[in-house]
Amino acid sequence: MSTINSQDFKFSMPLNIRWNDLDPLNHVNNVYYFEYFQIGRGHYMMAASKQWDWTKNMFVIAHIECDYYKELKLTAKEPLIKLRSSSLGSKSFEIEYLVTSLDKEGNEIIHAKGKSVQVLIDASIGKSIEIPDWLRNDITNYEPSLSTV
């Protein structure tokens, strides 16, 4: 695993692991990480942009991936989902995710790292659109270290 600096992730929120997220090996099944990413994305967009309105603005997922490093169990201490925008293009932007918890000594454990590419769309015509200036400015101000294309 390459070095991951979780301090680069400005946004985080508690992760609620549910009993039904577990598989017969007693750890979170791989498919639920994508659900955790989705839950985090909803909250992240409203934190990164005070103008974001889910009833007016929309994107579709063009790509999503996840690398798993250490099993996550129901008994994990202080599990979190962390997000950051890592690049911003003309019609799309990339979000990275970390799923973390704490070990017995209080050190952070990284359970998984993910990435998704979102493409802005106009839902009324079903086509991709340019990222509006207001959203570009909001994300850039929230994530000053992200790369833009």
Side-chain angles (χ1 to χ4, degrees):
M1 167 173 60
S2 61
T3 304
I4 300 169
N5 186 355
S6 71
Q7 301 306 315
D8 293 338
F9 288 74
K10 181 176 183 177
F11 179 87
S12 69
M13 61 181 275
L15 181 60
N16 295 313
I17 302 170
R18 302 162 301 191
W19 180 265
N20 68 311
D21 295 353
L22 306 178
D23 63 17
L25 297 174
N26 199 31
H27 63 249
V28 173
N29 186 277
N30 62 305
V31 299
Y32 288 104
Y33 288 81
F34 293 97
E35 187 172 326
Y36 299 159
F37 296 170
Q38 179 182 24
I39 292 166
R41 256 193 325 271
H43 293 278
Y44 172 82
M45 289 305 297
M46 293 183 294
S49 174
K50 299 304 179 202
Q51 302 176 73
W52 185 263
D53 181 343
W54 283 106
T55 64
K56 297 177 184 171
N57 312 115
M58 189 50 60
F59 54 72
V60 294
I61 303 296
H63 175 80
I64 192 164
E65 63 185 56
C66 184
D67 293 320
Y68 306 94
Y69 301 121
K70 183 164 179 55
E71 66 184 4
L72 180 62
K73 295 190 172 193
L74 187 63
T75 56
K77 182 179 176 186
E78 297 182 38
L80 296 174
I81 177 81
K82 298 182 177 192
L83 291 86
R84 70 175 177 183
S85 291
S86 55
S87 70
L88 190 57
S90 61
K91 293 184 176 186
S92 66
F93 62 103
E94 186 175 275
I95 295 177
E96 292 181 340
Y97 311 85
L98 289 181
V99 174
T100 68
S101 71
L102 300 177
D103 67 15
K104 291 177 183 177
E105 291 79 37
N107 301 308
E108 185 175 66
I109 300 167
I110 296 175
H111 297 277
K113 180 180 180 186
K115 178 171 49 174
S116 63
V117 176
Q118 292 68 220
V119 177
L120 267 286
I121 63 164
D122 180 331
S124 66
I125 59 173
K127 295 197 183 254
S128 63
I129 58 171
E130 297 283 322
I131 294 175
D133 289 341
W134 62 265
L135 181 57
R136 181 175 301 282
N137 291 336
D138 286 353
I139 292 174
T140 302
N141 289 335
Y142 190 77
E143 304 279 8
S145 64
L146 72 80
S147 64
T148 56
V149 177

